[in-house]
Amino acid sequence: MDSVPQFPFSAIVGADEMAIALVLTTVAPDVGGVLVRGEKGTAKSTMVRSLAAVLPEQDVVDGCRFGCDPSEPDPQCPDGPHTRGDDAVQRPARLVELPIGASDDRVTGSLDLGRALGSGQTAFEPGLLADAHRGLLYVDEVNLLQDHLVDLLLDAAAMGRNTVERDGVSVTHAARIMLIGTMNPEEGELRPQLLDRFGLSVEITASRVPQERVEIVRRRLAYDADPEGFAATYADAQATLGARLAAAQQRVADVELSDWALGKIATVCAGFDVDGMRADIVTARAARAHAAWQDRDSVAREDIRVAAKLALPHRRRRKPFDAPGLDEDLLDRLLGDDDEPDPTPDDTNDDPDPQQPQPDSQNDGEETDREDSPSGGDSSSSDSGDSGQDAAPPTPHQDGGEADRSDQEQELDTAAPEAPSAAPQVAQAEEAYRVRSFTVRGVGRGEAGRRSRAITNWGATIGSERDGSGAVHLPATIRAAALRGAGRAGAGRLHVAGEDLRHKVTQGRESNLVLIAVDASGSMGARERMREVKTAVISLLTDAYQRRDRVGVVTFRGAGADLALPPTHSVEAAAACLTDLPHGGRTPLAEGLLAAARALEVERIRDPHRRVLLVLVTDGRATSGPDALERARWVADRWPSTGVDAVVVDAETGRFRMGLAADLAERMGAEHVTLEDFAADSLVTAIRERSVA
């Protein structure tokens, strides 16, 4: 039975910038792949899957598991050696999808255990990189993929080869892949170092044009009703697009990249203050690909402009909460308006859009040339693009002295009212700084990350086990086989059976759930204390981002507490939640602790292997009700029974302190840290001063 045809690439509406990015990396795979960032429901996956249908078919060496090109076979192919002109078969271009839970063995390949244990032969089992050679490797939700797997993919995409040194196997093979990743920023971001490794990046949002949304719904319903008939409607447009792609692939190597064009590219990259030289190289390659796509013989100003809009935005992001973007006005100023040398006569193409004119009569005249000037405005940002030096991160505010006595004395009565009629205020955080390292005690078995010790599938080998999912532990396997065969006849030969198989036990670091409970009561507004608290919490979120943690936010003020942000991978959402957090009213400390406990109970059911670190930021005062302090202490005394490690960040500042937060930490069995000691540099300074004394 024939498979259902994919949604036609040429029938997708409203994703013009994504379409040209996919086209450019198809025309010139050395561009380095595409990262597509966009909200849910914007046809990201549909468009990537439909691209494979318009790629030219390929000749491969018959019987080669690595897809070698018969006209240029890989001399190091494990299934070789092949000679030029070997028997060839034709196959469609492949689209290989990488599951989020894939292991590194499945990605790169590994020892063929069946042949190794059955016949004693050392053989290599190809992985997904071999399957995707000369095709597309698609990773949906790439931001949720483990960092070391992303590194493996990007290394292979950049080098064009995959090298495996594992389990007694040493293999290298060609892996020229077009890497395409899609992600929803709401679920967390990629690290800037990984962002830079993607050649092109594009932001995609749902169309806000009613007519365009109507057309999208109409085409989707028509496809669902009759996939074959709908695909047949666009067959001519698909064939035209495929032929144009094949022609551009043949032409791109002959496109001239003049000194003038190289100078413009260098000027643009320097003007946007991007790090390193990868941006210049990718922009040059993408500009040549765009010129070939436009049927030009040399790179023109418009080619550089299109390439820069796709190659630079994600490389300007230096900090975790920086939004990618590009100031198009600055781009135009950097490109200038000087005359291009030897302009080609066909500098303008009547049909630059990779989505060919559609046969829908109701849409005639509505499709415009949007490839070079996409209708979506999200790639344009309010960032000015002006370069400048970042301010040095401040250390936490050091409070104290006689000037603070009057303010401190006003807080000695723990039951003092906190001006419930006063309007809530919003404090602004300052520049984030590096915080102390906080970890969960013991050894866990959670998802790989960078915070607490855990048994993971990536790390240092500390032992072996019989029933496991890790890589094969060859010495332990051989030892088990030798012990089993000792004393038998013919003991001089080693016989390995399935029962002898041992797997590695590796210890690394795991990611945790960092649940931040923030006291937003009126007492936190004294002496701009909330500004310091927000700065500390934003700094903690930066640390959580770097350690690949999930984060959640509980806030409490007035008479109750709220789960302001359910646990998520998006530290950006947590930062936005805290930025807009108002403060004022009384302090319902007990309610805040109970809200945190309820949130953790739910998360323990959802993800029982992920361990939790509670970070409670408060001055320890409890003023919501006549028995507020006693209720808070009652909850704190029972907190150790939850089994959740906690850190109490003491927000009380000044020379005279009541010590309520310290008492709370002792009751909870939590680590007590003051705001002054929250920064890593402050702790180092304190240790040095103590050692000198």
Side-chain angles (χ1 to χ4, degrees):
M1 181 173 154
D2 294 337
S3 60
V4 177
Q6 286 286 349
F7 195 93
F9 186 84
S10 57
I12 296 176
V13 180
D16 306 294
E17 197 168 66
M18 179 178 173
I20 192 58
L22 294 176
V23 162
L24 295 186
T25 198
T26 302
V27 171
D30 58 356
V31 164
V34 180
L35 175 65
V36 183
R37 304 170 75 256
E39 57 196 21
K40 51 188 176 292
T42 48
K44 300 186 296 295
S45 300
T46 299
M47 194 162 205
V48 173
R49 294 188 178 103
S50 66
L51 176 63
V54 297
L55 296 180
E57 290 194 339
Q58 302 171 341
D59 289 331
V60 298
V61 174
D62 190 14
C64 178
R65 298 174 297 166
F66 299 84
C68 281
D69 185 349
S71 64
E72 192 179 351
D74 179 14
Q76 295 178 286
C77 177
D79 284 355
H82 305 302
T83 58
R84 194 182 299 269
D86 277 352
D87 291 340
V89 294
Q90 203 170 54
R91 72 178 188 189
R94 285 185 174 179
L95 170 67
V96 177
E97 297 192 37
L98 176 65
I100 292 297
S103 65
D104 54 342
D105 289 351
R106 182 70 185 95
V107 174
T108 61
S110 62
L111 178 70
D112 187 335
L113 289 178
R115 294 174 65 181
L117 297 178
S119 61
Q121 295 179 334
T122 300
F124 181 71
E125 181 69 23
L128 295 177
L129 288 175
D131 294 340
H133 176 47
R134 302 173 63 202
L136 299 170
L137 183 60
Y138 173 47
V139 187
D140 193 14
E141 306 296 351
V142 65
N143 51 323
L144 303 183
L145 197 64
Q146 295 182 19
D147 285 351
H148 73 276
L149 288 181
V150 180
D151 283 326
L152 287 175
L153 297 178
L154 294 172
D155 282 340
M159 303 300 295
R161 299 199 68 81
N162 174 42
T163 301
V164 181
E165 300 281 353
R166 184 190 302 116
D167 299 334
V169 175
S170 178
V171 171
T172 180
H173 65 84
R176 296 193 300 274
I177 61 174
M178 288 178 281
L179 180 62
I180 301 174
T182 58
M183 58 175 282
N184 182 353
E186 294 176 358
E187 297 173 343
E189 286 282 1
L190 280 171
R191 290 185 290 120
Q193 296 89 335
L194 297 180
L195 280 174
D196 181 60
R197 299 290 296 279
F198 277 95
L200 308 178
S201 174
V202 61
E203 293 271 348
I204 182 171
T205 59
S207 173
R208 300 298 186 262
V209 180
Q211 294 86 349
E212 200 168 68
R213 295 175 73 96
V214 168
E215 185 61 27
I216 291 170
V217 174
R218 181 182 289 116
R219 294 187 188 184
R220 183 69 218 189
L221 294 178
Y223 171 79
D224 292 340
D226 183 11
E228 289 81 5
F230 186 83
T233 304
Y234 289 89
D236 291 342
Q238 292 281 94
T240 301
L241 181 57
R244 186 177 174 189
L245 277 172
Q249 288 175 338
Q250 295 294 324
R251 187 186 306 113
V252 66
D254 298 325
V255 172
E256 179 189 2
L257 187 64
S258 65
D259 290 341
W260 172 87
L262 285 173
K264 287 295 182 183
I265 292 172
T267 299
V268 168
C269 293
F272 280 106
D273 196 26
V274 295
D275 295 332
M277 295 299 299
R278 186 176 282 121
D280 302 64
I281 296 171
V282 171
T283 303
R285 290 171 174 169
R288 291 182 68 180
H290 189 265
W293 174 250
Q294 297 292 344
D295 198 14
R296 283 194 274 265
D297 295 328
S298 61
V299 171
R301 191 190 317 275
E302 189 59 28
D303 301 320
I304 300 173
R305 188 179 193 278
V306 172
K309 287 174 59 179
L310 297 173
L312 300 186
H314 59 299
R315 292 188 165 86
R316 299 188 61 244
R317 185 175 186 234
R318 288 197 173 94
K319 299 176 184 176
F321 307 127
D322 288 347
L326 199 71
D327 185 344
E328 294 194 36
D329 290 336
L330 175 61
L331 176 60
D332 290 335
R333 291 197 301 271
L334 292 171
L335 285 172
D337 56 1
D338 54 307
D339 294 334
E340 300 175 22
D342 300 323
T344 55
D346 56 346
D347 218 28
T348 303
N349 191 297
D350 293 333
D351 183 23
D353 197 334
Q355 303 179 36
Q356 302 295 325
Q358 310 303 333
D360 297 49
S361 58
Q362 62 217 7
N363 203 39
D364 289 347
E366 292 182 10
E367 297 290 340
T368 59
D369 179 0
R370 294 176 297 177
E371 174 193 310
D372 295 342
S373 300
S375 59
D378 283 20
S379 62
S380 176
S381 171
S382 60
D383 293 342
S384 66
D386 295 333
S387 61
Q389 298 295 327
D390 293 334
T395 57
H397 181 65
Q398 300 285 337
D399 226 331
E402 294 298 322
D404 296 327
R405 285 196 63 171
S406 59
D407 287 336
Q408 188 68 43
E409 288 170 353
Q410 293 176 6
E411 298 181 14
L412 292 177
D413 183 4
T414 61
E418 297 175 353
S421 61
Q425 302 178 21
V426 178
Q428 299 299 319
E430 294 183 343
E431 189 77 12
Y433 50 81
R434 189 166 62 93
V435 302
R436 289 178 55 178
S437 176
F438 300 103
T439 60
V440 179
R441 289 169 290 188
V443 180
R445 285 185 173 269
E447 182 180 319
R450 296 186 173 186
R451 184 170 295 277
S452 304
R453 289 191 302 147
I455 301 300
T456 65
N457 58 1
W458 185 262
T461 301
I462 61 172
S464 64
E465 58 185 359
R466 181 171 178 177
D467 297 321
S469 58
V472 175
H473 195 304
L474 279 181
T477 300
I478 295 173
R479 188 183 307 112
L483 291 174
R484 183 180 56 81
R488 294 184 178 181
R493 299 182 60 187
L494 182 67
H495 298 276
V496 180
E499 62 189 276
D500 303 320
L501 192 63
R502 298 293 183 270
H503 298 270
K504 292 181 180 179
V505 177
T506 54
Q507 180 174 290
R509 296 278 174 177
E510 67 177 357
S511 64
N512 298 128
L513 168 58
V514 179
L515 185 65
I516 306 172
V518 182
D519 181 351
S521 63
S523 65
M524 301 294 286
R527 298 179 310 283
E528 297 187 348
R529 188 184 299 170
M530 199 62 185
R531 171 179 56 81
E532 299 177 37
V533 166
K534 285 191 175 182
T535 302
V537 175
I538 293 294
S539 302
L540 179 63
L541 287 175
T542 303
D543 181 69
Y545 170 87
Q546 294 167 346
R547 297 179 187 272
R548 316 308 293 162
D549 293 318
R550 295 185 73 202
V551 293
V553 178
V554 171
T555 62
F556 53 97
R557 69 184 184 92
D562 296 312
L563 180 60
L565 181 71
T568 175
H569 281 286
S570 177
V571 295
E572 289 81 1
C577 172
L578 287 164
T579 299
D580 300 331
L581 176 66
H583 62 272
R586 299 183 183 276
T587 310
L589 182 54
E591 287 74 8
L593 289 172
L594 289 173
R598 286 192 294 268
L600 295 180
E601 288 177 0
V602 174
E603 285 305 306
R604 186 175 283 115
I605 296 173
R606 290 177 177 173
D607 191 353
H609 296 295
R610 187 181 294 274
R611 297 192 294 164
V612 180
L613 179 67
L614 173 70
V615 180
L616 175 63
V617 187
T618 182
D619 57 5
R621 304 180 70 209
T623 59
S624 182
D627 59 343
L629 185 58
E630 294 305 318
R631 285 187 292 110
R633 287 174 173 171
W634 185 87
V635 176
D637 287 337
R638 285 153 182 77
W639 186 265
S641 64
T642 64
V644 174
D645 280 11
V647 176
V648 175
V649 181
D650 191 345
E652 190 175 28
T653 57
R655 186 171 181 180
F656 300 97
R657 308 192 183 193
M658 301 168 62
L660 295 175
D663 175 70
L664 186 69
E666 184 177 356
R667 292 172 182 274
M668 295 177 63
E671 182 179 357
H672 174 254
V673 181
T674 63
L675 274 178
E676 292 89 342
D677 291 334
F678 197 65
D681 294 340
S682 296
L683 179 64
V684 171
T685 302
I687 293 175
R688 287 176 178 172
E689 290 176 351
R690 179 171 297 182
S691 63
V692 171

